[in-house]
Amino acid sequence: MNLGVCRALIFTAYLIRYLAVPLNVSEFALMSSEFWKPLPVLGFFVPPLATAFWLRAFETAWFVALALSALGLFTRLSTALAFLLGAYLLWIPHNFGKLHHNDMITVLVTGVLMFSRCGEAWSLDRFFENHRRKKSGRPPETVAPSGEFTWPVRLVWLALATVFFAAGVSKLRHSGLAWITSDNLALMLIKANYMAYIDYPPLLPLGVPLGRLPWACHIIAAATMATELGFPLVLVSRRVRRVLVPVMFFVLIGIMLLFLPSFPELIACFVFFVPWENLKLRSRVAAA
């Protein structure tokens, strides 16, 4: 159940995210070849840039694959297509002079789920299979607990821990403790209100008031760096997980509200930290 719920929620989240802010990768096919600086995949393979027609077709097929994966219909095939098409489409914008750091987690998560048995529960595949067995007089198929349903969730945890830890290390490497003790965060909060990204103001106009409180900015900066550097501990400690996971979640929400650049792909991955099976058990106990 846990893996099935995570599959349904994460693919639904990715479908909504990329429908709300389309990639429009077909526009890259119309750019001059002078701007095309392809990056190799896996260190040696460079996929060709398809025509605008095929890129639009691939993007439409990707949305269909995301929807089918969320529903758990033809799960093996739909998750494979979601990964392969997504990896190609998300790779294209990186080949025009700027690397983006917010969509790689989408490729990693869909790749993990492609190799997993995420369609065994909370899926139309399971529903139709049980319906066929019921019509034939056979009992519904039961799936025994197995590590096959645990490793995909833990691997997503590992990917997130790597992302957040790398962010903390980058801060220490390039700024050191000055990232905490300087006016860096205060200036970023103030600047976000006057030089908003993509011409939109932050969702909460609290940057200027917060920027005028140096002590608050130092505390927020220290808490952010400590959470990022300590996040790998969630892999080995349940107690740490109960603290750092919600703290990191609200750090991402705070960035979205105060700075506007959001990381919906990362925020969506926090569904993998929710113990869905335990919530189901508690609901049954409460009903009894």
Side-chain angles (χ1 to χ4, degrees):
M1 174 189 172
N2 192 48
L3 182 60
V5 172
C6 288
R7 184 215 73 248
L9 292 178
I10 196 67
F11 279 109
T12 299
Y14 286 156
L15 178 62
I16 294 173
R17 181 260 181 270
Y18 290 107
L19 282 176
V21 185
L23 293 174
N24 293 323
V25 291
S26 60
E27 297 179 359
F28 288 98
L30 305 177
M31 297 180 66
S32 171
S33 59
E34 295 295 326
F35 298 101
W36 175 245
K37 307 294 180 183
L39 298 174
V41 177
L42 301 177
F44 62 92
F45 176 62
V46 178
L49 179 62
T51 63
F53 170 81
W54 283 109
L55 289 176
R56 286 191 292 269
F58 290 156
E59 194 165 2
T60 301
W62 186 42
F63 290 144
V64 173
L66 289 174
L68 292 178
S69 298
L71 294 172
L73 184 61
F74 310 117
T75 309
R76 285 289 189 183
L77 176 61
S78 60
T79 54
L81 288 175
F83 166 70
L84 295 173
L85 290 172
Y88 177 65
L89 294 170
L90 294 171
W91 167 80
I92 290 175
H94 294 261
N95 298 281
F96 290 86
K98 183 181 186 300
L99 296 178
H100 306 273
H101 60 273
N102 59 329
D103 51 18
M104 182 53 65
I105 193 66
T106 302
V107 178
L108 293 174
V109 172
T110 54
V112 169
L113 293 178
M114 175 184 68
F115 289 106
S116 73
R117 296 172 60 185
C118 60
E120 296 290 343
W122 277 63
S123 66
L124 289 180
D125 286 342
R126 176 57 54 192
F127 172 80
F128 291 136
E129 174 61 24
N130 288 339
H131 181 69
R132 285 192 295 266
R133 296 176 70 91
K134 183 178 180 181
K135 289 184 65 175
S136 63
R138 294 178 296 169
E141 182 181 3
T142 58
V143 181
S146 168
E148 288 291 332
F149 306 106
T150 303
W151 71 260
V153 175
R154 297 298 191 268
L155 196 52
V156 174
W157 290 9
L158 178 61
L160 289 176
T162 303
V163 169
F164 297 134
F165 181 71
V169 170
S170 179
K171 293 178 177 62
L172 279 179
R173 177 186 175 190
H174 296 286
S175 301
L177 293 179
W179 199 87
I180 299 174
T181 59
S182 69
D183 295 329
N184 173 65
L185 183 58
L187 294 174
M188 290 175 61
L189 286 166
I190 295 173
K191 185 181 75 171
N193 285 263
Y194 297 103
M195 298 177 63
Y197 296 89
I198 60 175
D199 299 325
Y200 288 97
L203 298 176
L204 287 181
L206 299 178
V208 173
L210 274 176
R212 292 174 177 171
L213 300 173
W215 60 269
C217 293
H218 297 327
I219 293 175
I220 295 173
T224 300
M225 183 179 289
T227 302
E228 290 174 340
L229 293 174
F231 202 82
L233 294 176
V234 305
L235 302 174
V236 296
S237 173
R238 182 176 300 178
R239 292 182 178 178
V240 173
R241 193 155 56 242
R242 290 173 177 172
V243 176
L244 291 190
V245 168
V247 169
M248 193 70 244
F249 176 81
F250 285 111
V251 166
L252 294 175
I253 296 297
I255 293 174
M256 180 179 66
L257 295 178
L258 298 176
F259 294 98
L260 189 64
S262 59
F263 302 95
E265 302 87 353
L266 288 171
I267 293 175
C269 290
F270 279 77
V271 301
F272 286 88
F273 286 106
V274 179
W276 301 105
E277 291 179 341
N278 291 344
L279 294 178
K280 180 181 179 182
L281 177 62
R282 291 172 184 173
S283 65
R284 285 181 174 178
V285 172

Short mmCIF file of all heavy atoms in Angstrom, two decimals, residues 222-276:
data_model
loop_
_atom_site.label_atom_id
_atom_site.label_comp_id
_atom_site.label_asym_id
_atom_site.label_seq_id
_atom_site.Cartn_x
_atom_site.Cartn_y
_atom_site.Cartn_z
N ALA A 222 21.24 29.59 9.88
CA ALA A 222 21.89 28.51 10.61
C ALA A 222 21.02 27.26 10.63
O ALA A 222 21.51 26.14 10.44
CB ALA A 222 22.19 28.96 12.04
N ALA A 223 19.72 27.44 10.83
CA ALA A 223 18.82 26.29 10.86
C ALA A 223 18.76 25.62 9.49
O ALA A 223 18.72 24.38 9.39
CB ALA A 223 17.43 26.74 11.29
N THR A 224 18.77 26.42 8.43
CA THR A 224 18.73 25.85 7.08
C THR A 224 19.97 25.02 6.79
O THR A 224 19.89 23.89 6.31
CB THR A 224 18.60 26.97 6.04
OG1 THR A 224 17.39 27.71 6.28
CG2 THR A 224 18.58 26.41 4.63
N MET A 225 21.15 25.59 7.08
CA MET A 225 22.38 24.86 6.79
C MET A 225 22.48 23.61 7.65
O MET A 225 22.90 22.55 7.17
CB MET A 225 23.60 25.76 7.02
CG MET A 225 24.92 25.08 6.68
SD MET A 225 26.37 26.13 6.92
CE MET A 225 26.17 27.29 5.58
N ALA A 226 22.11 23.71 8.92
CA ALA A 226 22.18 22.54 9.80
C ALA A 226 21.24 21.43 9.32
O ALA A 226 21.59 20.25 9.35
CB ALA A 226 21.84 22.95 11.23
N THR A 227 20.06 21.83 8.87
CA THR A 227 19.10 20.83 8.38
C THR A 227 19.63 20.15 7.12
O THR A 227 19.51 18.93 6.97
CB THR A 227 17.75 21.50 8.08
OG1 THR A 227 17.27 22.14 9.27
CG2 THR A 227 16.73 20.48 7.61
N GLU A 228 20.22 20.92 6.21
CA GLU A 228 20.74 20.35 4.97
C GLU A 228 21.90 19.40 5.26
O GLU A 228 21.96 18.29 4.72
CB GLU A 228 21.19 21.47 4.04
CG GLU A 228 20.03 22.28 3.46
CD GLU A 228 20.50 23.47 2.66
OE1 GLU A 228 21.66 23.91 2.84
OE2 GLU A 228 19.71 23.99 1.85
N LEU A 229 22.83 19.82 6.10
CA LEU A 229 23.99 18.98 6.39
C LEU A 229 23.62 17.74 7.20
O LEU A 229 24.25 16.70 7.07
CB LEU A 229 25.06 19.80 7.12
CG LEU A 229 25.71 20.92 6.32
CD1 LEU A 229 26.65 21.74 7.22
CD2 LEU A 229 26.49 20.35 5.13
N GLY A 230 22.60 17.87 8.02
CA GLY A 230 22.21 16.74 8.86
C GLY A 230 21.16 15.85 8.24
O GLY A 230 20.84 14.78 8.80
N PHE A 231 20.66 16.21 7.06
CA PHE A 231 19.55 15.45 6.49
C PHE A 231 19.88 13.99 6.20
O PHE A 231 18.99 13.13 6.30
CB PHE A 231 19.04 16.14 5.21
CG PHE A 231 17.63 15.76 4.87
CD1 PHE A 231 16.56 16.38 5.48
CD2 PHE A 231 17.37 14.76 3.94
CE1 PHE A 231 15.25 16.02 5.18
CE2 PHE A 231 16.07 14.39 3.64
CZ PHE A 231 15.01 15.02 4.26
N PRO A 232 21.11 13.63 5.83
CA PRO A 232 21.40 12.20 5.61
C PRO A 232 21.11 11.33 6.83
O PRO A 232 20.94 10.11 6.69
CB PRO A 232 22.90 12.20 5.26
CG PRO A 232 23.12 13.52 4.61
CD PRO A 232 22.25 14.47 5.39
N LEU A 233 21.04 11.92 8.01
CA LEU A 233 20.74 11.14 9.21
C LEU A 233 19.33 10.56 9.19
O LEU A 233 19.05 9.60 9.92
CB LEU A 233 20.92 12.00 10.47
CG LEU A 233 22.36 12.46 10.76
CD1 LEU A 233 22.39 13.39 11.97
CD2 LEU A 233 23.27 11.26 10.99
N VAL A 234 18.45 11.11 8.35
CA VAL A 234 17.09 10.56 8.28
C VAL A 234 17.10 9.14 7.71
O VAL A 234 16.13 8.39 7.89
CB VAL A 234 16.17 11.46 7.42
CG1 VAL A 234 16.16 12.88 7.94
CG2 VAL A 234 16.55 11.41 5.95
N LEU A 235 18.19 8.77 7.07
CA LEU A 235 18.30 7.42 6.49
C LEU A 235 18.50 6.36 7.56
O LEU A 235 18.22 5.17 7.31
CB LEU A 235 19.44 7.36 5.49
CG LEU A 235 19.38 8.33 4.30
CD1 LEU A 235 20.66 8.25 3.49
CD2 LEU A 235 18.17 8.06 3.43
N VAL A 236 18.99 6.77 8.72
CA VAL A 236 19.37 5.77 9.73
C VAL A 236 18.67 5.96 11.07
O VAL A 236 18.80 5.11 11.94
CB VAL A 236 20.90 5.80 9.96
CG1 VAL A 236 21.63 5.39 8.69
CG2 VAL A 236 21.38 7.17 10.41
N SER A 237 17.94 7.05 11.26
CA SER A 237 17.34 7.32 12.56
C SER A 237 15.89 7.76 12.40
O SER A 237 15.60 8.76 11.74
CB SER A 237 18.12 8.41 13.31
OG SER A 237 17.45 8.79 14.49
N ARG A 238 14.99 7.02 13.00
CA ARG A 238 13.58 7.37 12.95
C ARG A 238 13.31 8.65 13.73
O ARG A 238 12.49 9.48 13.31
CB ARG A 238 12.74 6.22 13.50
CG ARG A 238 11.24 6.47 13.45
CD ARG A 238 10.45 5.26 13.93
NE ARG A 238 10.74 4.09 13.10
CZ ARG A 238 10.21 2.89 13.34
NH1 ARG A 238 9.42 2.70 14.39
NH2 ARG A 238 10.49 1.89 12.54
N ARG A 239 13.99 8.82 14.85
CA ARG A 239 13.78 10.03 15.65
C ARG A 239 14.23 11.27 14.89
O ARG A 239 13.53 12.30 14.89
CB ARG A 239 14.54 9.91 16.98
CG ARG A 239 13.98 8.85 17.92
CD ARG A 239 14.75 8.82 19.22
NE ARG A 239 14.19 7.83 20.15
CZ ARG A 239 14.69 7.58 21.34
NH1 ARG A 239 15.77 8.24 21.79
NH2 ARG A 239 14.12 6.68 22.12
N VAL A 240 15.38 11.19 14.25
CA VAL A 240 15.85 12.33 13.45
C VAL A 240 14.90 12.59 12.29
O VAL A 240 14.62 13.74 11.95
CB VAL A 240 17.28 12.06 12.93
CG1 VAL A 240 17.71 13.15 11.96
CG2 VAL A 240 18.26 11.98 14.10
N ARG A 241 14.37 11.53 11.71
CA ARG A 241 13.46 11.67 10.59
C ARG A 241 12.21 12.44 11.00
O ARG A 241 11.70 13.26 10.21
CB ARG A 241 13.10 10.28 10.07
CG ARG A 241 12.43 10.28 8.73
CD ARG A 241 12.63 8.95 8.01
NE ARG A 241 12.20 7.79 8.75
CZ ARG A 241 13.01 6.80 9.15
NH1 ARG A 241 14.31 6.85 8.88
NH2 ARG A 241 12.54 5.75 9.79
N ARG A 242 11.73 12.21 12.19
CA ARG A 242 10.53 12.89 12.65
C ARG A 242 10.74 14.39 12.81
O ARG A 242 9.78 15.18 12.77
CB ARG A 242 10.06 12.30 13.98
CG ARG A 242 9.50 10.88 13.86
CD ARG A 242 9.21 10.29 15.22
NE ARG A 242 8.61 8.96 15.11
CZ ARG A 242 8.40 8.16 16.14
NH1 ARG A 242 8.72 8.57 17.39
NH2 ARG A 242 7.87 6.96 15.95
N VAL A 243 11.99 14.81 12.98
CA VAL A 243 12.30 16.23 13.16
C VAL A 243 12.73 16.88 11.85
O VAL A 243 12.17 17.89 11.42
CB VAL A 243 13.40 16.41 14.23
CG1 VAL A 243 13.79 17.89 14.34
CG2 VAL A 243 12.92 15.89 15.57
N LEU A 244 13.74 16.31 11.20
CA LEU A 244 14.34 16.96 10.04
C LEU A 244 13.45 16.94 8.81
O LEU A 244 13.51 17.88 8.00
CB LEU A 244 15.70 16.32 9.72
CG LEU A 244 16.82 16.56 10.72
CD1 LEU A 244 18.15 16.08 10.15
CD2 LEU A 244 16.92 18.04 11.08
N VAL A 245 12.66 15.90 8.64
CA VAL A 245 11.81 15.83 7.44
C VAL A 245 10.80 16.98 7.43
O VAL A 245 10.70 17.71 6.44
CB VAL A 245 11.12 14.46 7.32
CG1 VAL A 245 10.03 14.50 6.25
CG2 VAL A 245 12.15 13.40 6.97
N PRO A 246 10.01 17.19 8.50
CA PRO A 246 9.09 18.34 8.46
C PRO A 246 9.81 19.68 8.43
O PRO A 246 9.32 20.62 7.79
CB PRO A 246 8.26 18.18 9.75
CG PRO A 246 9.03 17.25 10.61
CD PRO A 246 9.80 16.36 9.71
N VAL A 247 10.97 19.79 9.09
CA VAL A 247 11.72 21.05 9.04
C VAL A 247 12.15 21.35 7.61
O VAL A 247 11.99 22.48 7.12
CB VAL A 247 12.94 20.99 9.98
CG1 VAL A 247 13.86 22.20 9.74
CG2 VAL A 247 12.49 20.98 11.43
N MET A 248 12.70 20.36 6.91
CA MET A 248 13.14 20.57 5.53
C MET A 248 11.96 20.87 4.62
O MET A 248 12.07 21.69 3.70
CB MET A 248 13.87 19.32 5.04
CG MET A 248 14.64 19.52 3.75
SD MET A 248 16.11 20.55 3.97
CE MET A 248 15.69 21.95 2.95
N PHE A 249 10.84 20.24 4.88
CA PHE A 249 9.64 20.50 4.09
C PHE A 249 9.24 21.97 4.21
O PHE A 249 8.95 22.64 3.21
CB PHE A 249 8.51 19.59 4.55
CG PHE A 249 7.19 19.84 3.86
CD1 PHE A 249 6.96 19.30 2.59
CD2 PHE A 249 6.20 20.60 4.45
CE1 PHE A 249 5.74 19.53 1.95
CE2 PHE A 249 5.00 20.84 3.81
CZ PHE A 249 4.76 20.30 2.55
N PHE A 250 9.23 22.48 5.44
CA PHE A 250 8.83 23.88 5.63
C PHE A 250 9.91 24.86 5.17
O PHE A 250 9.59 26.01 4.85
CB PHE A 250 8.46 24.11 7.10
CG PHE A 250 7.13 23.53 7.48
CD1 PHE A 250 7.05 22.44 8.33
CD2 PHE A 250 5.95 24.05 6.96
CE1 PHE A 250 5.82 21.89 8.67
CE2 PHE A 250 4.72 23.51 7.28
CZ PHE A 250 4.65 22.43 8.15
N VAL A 251 11.16 24.43 5.12
CA VAL A 251 12.19 25.27 4.52
C VAL A 251 11.88 25.49 3.04
O VAL A 251 11.95 26.62 2.53
CB VAL A 251 13.58 24.62 4.69
CG1 VAL A 251 14.61 25.30 3.77
CG2 VAL A 251 14.05 24.74 6.13
N LEU A 252 11.51 24.42 2.34
CA LEU A 252 11.16 24.54 0.92
C LEU A 252 9.91 25.39 0.73
O LEU A 252 9.83 26.18 -0.21
CB LEU A 252 10.96 23.15 0.32
CG LEU A 252 12.20 22.26 0.24
CD1 LEU A 252 11.83 20.87 -0.28
CD2 LEU A 252 13.26 22.88 -0.65
N ILE A 253 8.93 25.22 1.62
CA ILE A 253 7.72 26.04 1.53
C ILE A 253 8.08 27.51 1.78
O ILE A 253 7.57 28.41 1.10
CB ILE A 253 6.67 25.57 2.55
CG1 ILE A 253 6.20 24.15 2.22
CG2 ILE A 253 5.49 26.53 2.58
CD1 ILE A 253 5.50 24.02 0.90
N GLY A 254 8.98 27.76 2.74
CA GLY A 254 9.40 29.13 3.02
C GLY A 254 10.10 29.77 1.84
O GLY A 254 9.88 30.95 1.53
N ILE A 255 10.95 28.99 1.16
CA ILE A 255 11.62 29.52 -0.04
C ILE A 255 10.59 29.90 -1.09
O ILE A 255 10.69 30.95 -1.73
CB ILE A 255 12.60 28.46 -0.59
CG1 ILE A 255 13.77 28.26 0.39
CG2 ILE A 255 13.14 28.89 -1.96
CD1 ILE A 255 14.69 27.13 0.00
N MET A 256 9.58 29.06 -1.26
CA MET A 256 8.55 29.32 -2.27
C MET A 256 7.76 30.58 -1.92
O MET A 256 7.43 31.38 -2.81
CB MET A 256 7.62 28.12 -2.37
CG MET A 256 6.50 28.28 -3.38
SD MET A 256 5.44 26.82 -3.49
CE MET A 256 4.70 26.84 -1.85
N LEU A 257 7.47 30.78 -0.65
CA LEU A 257 6.65 31.92 -0.25
C LEU A 257 7.42 33.23 -0.21
O LEU A 257 6.87 34.29 -0.53
CB LEU A 257 6.03 31.65 1.13
CG LEU A 257 5.04 30.48 1.22
CD1 LEU A 257 4.57 30.31 2.65
CD2 LEU A 257 3.86 30.70 0.30
N LEU A 258 8.70 33.17 0.19
CA LEU A 258 9.46 34.40 0.41
C LEU A 258 10.35 34.79 -0.76
O LEU A 258 10.64 35.98 -0.95
CB LEU A 258 10.32 34.26 1.67
CG LEU A 258 9.57 34.05 2.98
CD1 LEU A 258 10.54 33.82 4.12
CD2 LEU A 258 8.67 35.24 3.28
N PHE A 259 10.81 33.79 -1.55
CA PHE A 259 11.72 34.08 -2.65
C PHE A 259 11.08 33.84 -4.02
O PHE A 259 11.64 34.25 -5.02
CB PHE A 259 12.98 33.22 -2.55
CG PHE A 259 13.82 33.53 -1.35
CD1 PHE A 259 13.72 32.75 -0.21
CD2 PHE A 259 14.70 34.58 -1.35
CE1 PHE A 259 14.50 33.01 0.91
CE2 PHE A 259 15.48 34.86 -0.24
CZ PHE A 259 15.39 34.08 0.89
N LEU A 260 9.96 33.15 -4.03
CA LEU A 260 9.23 32.75 -5.22
C LEU A 260 9.81 31.55 -5.96
O LEU A 260 9.05 30.68 -6.34
CB LEU A 260 9.06 33.92 -6.20
CG LEU A 260 8.11 33.59 -7.37
CD1 LEU A 260 6.71 33.34 -6.86
CD2 LEU A 260 8.10 34.70 -8.40
N PRO A 261 11.13 31.45 -6.21
CA PRO A 261 11.59 30.21 -6.86
C PRO A 261 11.15 29.01 -6.04
O PRO A 261 11.49 28.89 -4.87
CB PRO A 261 13.11 30.35 -6.87
CG PRO A 261 13.35 31.81 -6.80
CD PRO A 261 12.24 32.37 -5.95
N SER A 262 10.38 28.14 -6.64
CA SER A 262 9.84 27.00 -5.90
C SER A 262 10.43 25.72 -6.44
O SER A 262 10.95 25.67 -7.54
CB SER A 262 8.31 26.96 -6.02
OG SER A 262 7.92 26.88 -7.38
N PHE A 263 10.36 24.70 -5.63
CA PHE A 263 10.88 23.39 -6.00
C PHE A 263 9.78 22.36 -5.84
O PHE A 263 9.86 21.48 -4.97
CB PHE A 263 12.08 23.04 -5.13
CG PHE A 263 13.20 24.05 -5.21
CD1 PHE A 263 13.31 25.06 -4.27
CD2 PHE A 263 14.13 23.99 -6.24
CE1 PHE A 263 14.33 25.99 -4.35
CE2 PHE A 263 15.16 24.92 -6.33
CZ PHE A 263 15.26 25.93 -5.39
N PRO A 264 8.72 22.46 -6.66
CA PRO A 264 7.60 21.52 -6.49
C PRO A 264 8.00 20.08 -6.69
O PRO A 264 7.40 19.18 -6.09
CB PRO A 264 6.59 21.99 -7.54
CG PRO A 264 7.40 22.73 -8.56
CD PRO A 264 8.51 23.38 -7.78
N GLU A 265 9.01 19.84 -7.55
CA GLU A 265 9.44 18.47 -7.78
C GLU A 265 10.01 17.86 -6.51
O GLU A 265 9.81 16.67 -6.23
CB GLU A 265 10.50 18.43 -8.89
CG GLU A 265 10.04 19.01 -10.22
CD GLU A 265 10.25 20.50 -10.32
OE1 GLU A 265 10.62 21.13 -9.33
OE2 GLU A 265 10.04 21.05 -11.42
N LEU A 266 10.74 18.66 -5.73
CA LEU A 266 11.29 18.17 -4.47
C LEU A 266 10.22 18.07 -3.40
O LEU A 266 10.17 17.10 -2.64
CB LEU A 266 12.41 19.10 -3.99
CG LEU A 266 13.73 19.05 -4.76
CD1 LEU A 266 14.65 20.17 -4.31
CD2 LEU A 266 14.42 17.71 -4.56
N ILE A 267 9.36 19.08 -3.33
CA ILE A 267 8.29 19.07 -2.32
C ILE A 267 7.40 17.85 -2.50
O ILE A 267 7.01 17.20 -1.51
CB ILE A 267 7.48 20.38 -2.41
CG1 ILE A 267 8.34 21.58 -2.01
CG2 ILE A 267 6.24 20.30 -1.53
CD1 ILE A 267 7.66 22.91 -2.19
N ALA A 268 7.09 17.51 -3.74
CA ALA A 268 6.22 16.35 -4.00
C ALA A 268 6.83 15.06 -3.47
O ALA A 268 6.11 14.15 -3.04
CB ALA A 268 5.93 16.24 -5.50
N CYS A 269 8.16 14.97 -3.47
CA CYS A 269 8.83 13.73 -3.05
C CYS A 269 8.66 13.44 -1.57
O CYS A 269 8.94 12.32 -1.13
CB CYS A 269 10.31 13.80 -3.40
SG CYS A 269 10.65 13.74 -5.17
N PHE A 270 8.20 14.41 -0.80
CA PHE A 270 8.02 14.17 0.62
C PHE A 270 6.87 13.20 0.91
O PHE A 270 6.72 12.75 2.05
CB PHE A 270 7.81 15.50 1.36
CG PHE A 270 9.10 16.22 1.66
CD1 PHE A 270 9.76 16.92 0.67
CD2 PHE A 270 9.66 16.18 2.91
CE1 PHE A 270 10.96 17.57 0.92
CE2 PHE A 270 10.86 16.83 3.19
CZ PHE A 270 11.51 17.52 2.18
N VAL A 271 6.07 12.88 -0.10
CA VAL A 271 5.04 11.85 0.11
C VAL A 271 5.68 10.52 0.44
O VAL A 271 5.02 9.65 1.06
CB VAL A 271 4.13 11.72 -1.13
CG1 VAL A 271 3.44 13.03 -1.45
CG2 VAL A 271 4.90 11.21 -2.34
N PHE A 272 6.94 10.31 0.05
CA PHE A 272 7.61 9.05 0.34
C PHE A 272 7.98 8.92 1.81
O PHE A 272 8.34 7.82 2.25
CB PHE A 272 8.87 8.92 -0.52
CG PHE A 272 8.59 8.61 -1.96
CD1 PHE A 272 8.38 9.62 -2.88
CD2 PHE A 272 8.51 7.30 -2.41
CE1 PHE A 272 8.11 9.35 -4.22
CE2 PHE A 272 8.25 7.01 -3.73
CZ PHE A 272 8.04 8.04 -4.64
N PHE A 273 7.92 10.01 2.56
CA PHE A 273 8.24 9.94 3.99
C PHE A 273 7.00 9.67 4.84
O PHE A 273 7.12 9.44 6.05
CB PHE A 273 8.88 11.25 4.45
CG PHE A 273 10.31 11.42 4.00
CD1 PHE A 273 10.62 12.31 2.99
CD2 PHE A 273 11.33 10.69 4.58
CE1 PHE A 273 11.93 12.48 2.56
CE2 PHE A 273 12.64 10.85 4.16
CZ PHE A 273 12.94 11.74 3.15
N VAL A 274 5.83 9.73 4.25
CA VAL A 274 4.59 9.53 5.01
C VAL A 274 4.33 8.03 5.16
O VAL A 274 4.32 7.30 4.17
CB VAL A 274 3.40 10.20 4.30
CG1 VAL A 274 2.11 9.96 5.09
CG2 VAL A 274 3.65 11.68 4.12
N PRO A 275 4.12 7.55 6.39
CA PRO A 275 3.83 6.11 6.60
C PRO A 275 2.37 5.82 6.30
O PRO A 275 1.55 5.67 7.20
CB PRO A 275 4.17 5.91 8.08
CG PRO A 275 3.89 7.24 8.71
CD PRO A 275 4.23 8.28 7.67
N TRP A 276 2.04 5.68 5.04
CA TRP A 276 0.65 5.52 4.63
C TRP A 276 0.01 4.27 5.24
O TRP A 276 -1.17 4.28 5.59
CB TRP A 276 0.56 5.47 3.11
CG TRP A 276 1.09 6.69 2.45
CD1 TRP A 276 2.28 6.84 1.79
CD2 TRP A 276 0.48 7.99 2.43
NE1 TRP A 276 2.44 8.13 1.35
CE2 TRP A 276 1.35 8.85 1.72
CE3 TRP A 276 -0.73 8.50 2.92
CZ2 TRP A 276 1.05 10.20 1.50
CZ3 TRP A 276 -1.03 9.84 2.70
CH2 TRP A 276 -0.14 10.67 2.00
#
